[in-house]
Amino acid sequence: MLEDSAQDSLLDQEETLPTTTTAIHNPKKLSIIPLIFLIYFEVSGGAYGEEAAVGAAGPLWAILGFLIFPFIWSIPEALVTAELATAFPGNGGYVIWAHRAFGPFWGSLMGSWKFLSGVINLASYPVLCVDYIKLVFPLLSSGLPRYAAILFSTLFLSFLNYTGLVIVGYTAVCLGVISLIPFLLLALFSIPMIDPSRWISLGNQGVEKNWSLFFNTLFWNLNFWDNASTLAGEVEQPQKTFPKALFSAGLLTCLAYLVPLLAATGATPLNQQAWVEGYFADVAQIIAGKWLKVFLEIGAVLSIIGLYEAQLSSCVYQLLGMAELGFLPQCFSVRSKWFNTPWVGILVSTSITIGVSFMNFTTLISSVNFLYSLGMLLEFASFLWLRRKLPTMKRPFKVPMKLPGLVVMCLIPSGFLVYIMSVATGTVFSVSCLVTLVTVVWYFVMRFCKSKRPTNVEDEGLEQVG
């Protein structure tokens, strides 16, 4: 018994290695307000992109979806994130959790699934951005101009991330406030026009329900609560800051979805087939005029900038954490001399994002959701196993349930994850299998390379953390 306690204590000390290393090189830390908006942009960024839920299943199902889904998905994920991010506050986030629960192989798998879901998700934001801009500049609707616009916006947004996480955090605050204003105006102008009977519409007659698109849209708009955990090593007092930031971002996210959805569906006659990405801009013009449409499109572009910056930051600092844990070459932990950012991670993430940007928006969402579902199933399993494996470990924030209650809490969203994966297309399934295979090969190649080089003190520490 004493031996087990000593081992757990040693592991707890070892787990601080990534955090300590980061703190030495990066004295500037994120405070709670920037973290709230980074989490908000990791998950949402506003109502942009939720239109497809109405088109797929009608107003009533869309409203119920964005009202109920946070309770069965978002809150459990946020609670798991709050407990584990405060217990293991190092860059790498969920990679560390799987690592500590099941060992380095599973940590490596978690890293690949979550990282690739993140960078594929990144590709959706420039696509969504151009979809809004083309409403003003039709030239960008197709062909070379469209691809050029996507490429330019991707490179520009990645360079902005290079300037530093603190700058990105406060930029997210400004972008979040400005992008929310047009939806607030939309809600205010819609009040005299609202007919509550429109909220209970099941859709236009003759329009078939697309449940796969509906659930994928809900999932895409309300997931990634755990992504900010990869920034834990860059956050000021993460044990106190993370739970407060997650709660605040959760409340902001739910209101940002529900208020515009109620306003738009209640104030305009239903044309279900028109509810596709970008339709909120048309609704704004119907309700208040051309000026609000333009304002909302500007807000959409600003929101997408925030989404991209938050997601890229998560991906980059995940790679940094994985390098500190020994899963990736040490070049991924090298920081820029000018801005103290991990520039190799930014370069790699941007390159992959550009490579998958040719995929259409719906395919991007489905691919992101499948890979993310694999990672989340492993994350829930890691959470439960760590509660069983390390029951006495200090947890600054602890979900107030015993293990049986936690199992139930995780089983409900896990069932939804399995459903999301079951409706995936053959292309999405093939891509996910290929990613997993490459990760397994990469893990054993890294192990072979480490076994052939001389062992030093740093390597031994990384081996123990792994």
Side-chain angles (χ1 to χ4, degrees), residues 87-425:
F88 307 104
N91 289 330
Y94 30 71
V95 179
I96 298 174
W97 311 340
H99 202 188
R100 285 294 304 271
F102 302 118
F105 175 78
W106 293 101
S108 179
L109 270 182
M110 174 72 90
S112 68
W113 287 336
K114 287 298 189 80
F115 171 71
L116 286 170
S117 71
V119 291
I120 295 174
N121 195 39
L122 275 176
S124 69
Y125 297 136
V127 172
L128 191 60
C129 181
V130 173
D131 282 342
Y132 272 93
I133 296 176
K134 75 181 182 183
L135 299 174
V136 179
F137 301 103
L139 177 67
L140 303 180
S141 296
S142 61
L144 184 60
R146 175 179 175 82
Y147 290 117
I150 291 173
L151 177 62
F152 173 78
S153 59
T154 302
L155 294 174
F156 172 76
L157 295 177
S158 294
F159 178 78
L160 178 60
N161 199 275
Y162 176 65
T163 60
L165 189 58
V166 173
I167 293 175
V168 168
Y170 282 102
T171 300
V173 175
C174 297
L175 294 175
V177 172
I178 296 173
S179 64
L180 285 169
I181 291 176
F183 284 111
L184 179 61
L185 293 173
L186 174 68
L188 292 174
F189 277 95
S190 71
I191 291 175
M193 307 168 62
I194 287 178
D195 178 1
S197 66
R198 292 171 175 160
W199 292 335
I200 60 174
S201 170
L202 294 174
N204 295 136
Q205 285 188 348
V207 178
E208 188 176 349
K209 300 284 190 295
N210 187 342
W211 294 115
S212 175
L213 176 60
F214 174 74
F215 284 112
N216 269 298
T217 302
L218 285 180
F219 191 54
W220 183 76
N221 279 280
L222 288 165
N223 64 9
F224 291 106
W225 291 97
D226 58 341
N227 272 17
S229 67
T230 64
L231 309 176
E234 314 297 310
V235 173
E236 189 177 281
Q237 296 183 310
Q239 288 88 346
K240 295 181 179 180
T241 304
F242 256 96
K244 295 177 183 178
L246 282 165
F247 174 80
S248 302
L251 183 60
L252 178 61
T253 297
C254 291
L255 291 175
Y257 279 131
L258 280 172
V259 172
L261 183 60
L262 290 169
T265 55
T268 59
L270 179 62
N271 179 8
Q272 191 173 345
Q273 293 180 330
W275 278 85
V276 295
E277 288 81 17
Y279 186 62
F280 267 123
D282 294 331
V283 172
Q285 182 172 359
I286 294 170
I287 292 175
K290 179 77 172 181
W291 67 272
L292 187 55
K293 176 181 180 179
V294 174
F295 192 5
L296 194 139
E297 287 168 347
I298 293 172
V301 173
L302 296 178
S303 175
I304 291 164
I305 292 173
L307 287 163
Y308 188 94
E309 297 306 322
Q311 184 74 71
L312 181 57
S313 295
S314 174
C315 292
V316 168
Y317 284 93
Q318 178 191 326
L319 294 181
L320 172 64
M322 291 179 72
E324 291 174 336
L325 290 168
F327 288 133
L328 293 174
Q330 287 301 302
C331 63
F332 283 91
S333 63
V334 175
R335 293 177 182 257
S336 164
K337 294 180 180 179
W338 292 345
F339 301 109
N340 200 39
T341 46
W343 64 272
V344 176
I346 294 175
L347 181 62
V348 170
S349 300
T350 304
S351 300
I352 297 174
T353 296
I354 292 172
V356 300
S357 61
F358 67 90
M359 299 168 66
N360 65 52
F361 188 74
T362 302
T363 304
L364 283 172
I365 291 176
S366 298
S367 300
V368 167
N369 288 348
F370 193 96
L371 289 170
Y372 191 76
S373 295
L374 289 172
M376 280 308 306
L377 289 172
L378 179 54
E379 184 174 315
F380 285 138
S382 300
F383 170 68
L384 296 173
W385 189 247
L386 285 169
R387 268 292 189 98
R388 186 177 185 275
K389 178 182 178 182
L390 303 173
T392 60
M393 179 184 178
K394 181 181 178 182
R395 291 169 168 84
F397 174 85
K398 188 173 182 179
V399 181
M401 293 183 188
K402 294 185 178 180
L403 191 58
L406 296 175
V407 171
V408 174
M409 185 188 81
C410 293
L411 275 178
I412 296 173
S414 294
F416 184 78
L417 292 171
V418 172
Y419 171 77
I420 287 291
M421 295 168 64
S422 70
V423 298
T425 64

Side-chain angles (χ1 to χ4, degrees), residues 71-82:
F71 290 95
I72 63 174
W73 171 254
S74 301
I75 291 177
E77 186 184 8
L79 288 174
V80 168
T81 300

